Amino acid sequence: MFEFLGNKMRDESGKLDSKQGFFCGLGAGVAEAVVVVCPMETIKVKFIHDQTSANPKYRGFFHGVREIIRSQGLKGTYQGLTATVLKQGSNQAIRFYVMTSLRNWYKGDDPNKAINPLITGLFGAIAGAASVFGNTPLDVIKTRMQGLEAHKYKSTVDCAVKILKHEGPLAFYKGTVPRLGRVCMDVAIVFIIYEEVVKLLNLVWKTD
């Protein structure tokens, strides 16, 4: 999705500036949230909360998914969609903005300059760290909206207001340190693989 949108915005030399990278990342994040992330995250969070409850009711993955759909319908797998779109959209917007900025800085006036995979990994880790600090509050809200106690909240805004009122502003940054370690490594690896796959695709199918 990022490449699809990027190909619509690149200039004659094939360059994408940081602002365009931000909006392409935003579009990719929103698409990712709707098609993949929201249903999978909702199921994951429900499973985690169920397994840590006193009386777990899901006997396995397929049984759990069946029970969620039977009792709540398909919309039961799409709880917290607004929060997920906000979280995932901002996530990828920040990551691709930082990544595009760092790539353009590194390449300077030579758009064809090759980037070592280790440098790509370092840039990816920086982009991952930026996204953690930028959208952990949205991740906290998303998780609350998808859990088994999601019924406590009337909407995404109501969830945010209740967290702020009852737990204080620091509650929006719960889990930042463990998330930071995971996300930095995750994004670094993803961008290395992403760059190498694009290089391979360009040999048989021009993507840029």
Side-chain angles (χ1 to χ4, degrees):
M1 179 57 76
F2 178 82
E3 287 298 318
F4 172 77
L5 296 172
N7 287 338
K8 307 290 184 186
M9 294 189 179
R10 294 182 199 277
D11 60 22
E12 296 79 10
S13 65
K15 185 177 180 181
L16 198 69
D17 66 32
S18 53
K19 188 191 293 184
Q20 291 168 329
F22 176 88
F23 285 110
C24 291
L26 179 63
V30 170
E32 181 184 30
V34 174
V35 177
V36 180
V37 177
C38 188
M40 292 308 297
E41 283 285 298
T42 302
I43 291 167
K44 182 195 79 172
V45 171
K46 285 182 185 294
F47 266 68
I48 291 170
H49 288 186
D50 178 68
Q51 293 304 305
T52 55
S53 66
N55 299 299
K57 58 184 178 180
Y58 303 145
R59 294 195 298 271
F61 177 77
F62 294 106
H63 175 259
V65 172
R66 210 163 49 239
E67 282 299 300
I68 291 168
I69 294 174
R70 186 185 64 78
S71 60
Q72 301 172 40
L74 196 59
K75 70 176 183 179
T77 64
Y78 269 90
Q79 282 181 275
L81 178 60
T82 302
T84 305
V85 166
L86 289 172
K87 182 252 178 177
Q88 211 62 28
S90 64
N91 216 13
Q92 303 299 9
I94 293 168
R95 288 176 188 176
F96 278 103
Y97 173 82
V98 173
M99 197 67 188
T100 304
S101 300
L102 291 171
R103 266 200 299 237
N104 289 342
W105 165 77
Y106 184 82
K107 290 185 175 185
D109 297 325
D110 182 7
N112 297 315
K113 183 178 179 180
I115 303 180
N116 185 289
L118 291 177
I119 299 294
T120 298
L122 176 62
F123 289 170
I126 295 169
S131 70
V132 168
F133 288 112
N135 82 347
T136 289
L138 290 171
D139 190 50
V140 170
I141 293 168
K142 175 193 73 69
T143 301
R144 299 287 183 93
M145 290 292 293
Q146 291 173 329
L148 295 178
E149 297 186 345
H151 61 274
K152 291 181 179 178
Y153 311 114
K154 290 181 251 181
S155 66
T156 301
V157 174
D158 180 59
C159 178
V161 170
K162 283 181 177 173
I163 292 172
L164 183 63
K165 182 179 177 182
H166 300 298
E167 301 174 55
L170 288 179
F172 289 109
Y173 279 90
K174 285 182 177 178
T176 298
V177 175
R179 187 172 178 237
L180 193 62
R182 180 189 67 80
V183 170
C184 286
M185 287 296 293
D186 180 5
V187 179
I189 293 168
V190 166
F191 272 114
I192 290 172
I193 294 171
Y194 168 79
E195 291 289 343
E196 296 308 306
V197 168
V198 169
K199 287 176 188 175
L200 287 173
L201 286 175
N202 278 334
L203 297 175
V204 292
W205 177 39
K206 202 68 177 171
T207 58
D208 55 16

